[in-house]
Amino acid sequence: MLRRWTALFTGPLLVIPYLSASREEMTQAEVTEVEALAEVYRARLHDLSWFMRTL
């Protein structure tokens, strides 16, 4: 889901290492933050009004 979001929009810098091989080097706090962002992005991708706003 994060790959889809970053293909459509610019994501925060924390998402880039999360999606790459350097994920193991991230702290637990960083991973938790990215997972929270993923929930927000998931909700936005399912929201029709958010989609219409980007058009």
Side-chain angles (χ1 to χ4, degrees), residues 5-19:
W5 181 266
T6 55
L8 298 172
F9 305 101
T10 304
L13 294 177
L14 278 178
V15 174
I16 296 167
Y18 186 84
L19 295 175

Side-chain angles (χ1 to χ4, degrees), residues 11-46:
L13 294 177
L14 278 178
V15 174
I16 296 167
Y18 186 84
L19 295 175
S20 68
S22 61
R23 183 179 191 175
E24 296 85 27
E25 299 171 6
M26 294 178 71
T27 64
Q28 183 60 37
E30 291 172 330
V31 170
T32 303
E33 180 65 25
V34 171
E35 290 171 352
L37 287 170
E39 291 302 317
V40 171
Y41 297 158
R42 183 175 287 114
R44 288 179 182 175
L45 286 173
H46 286 101

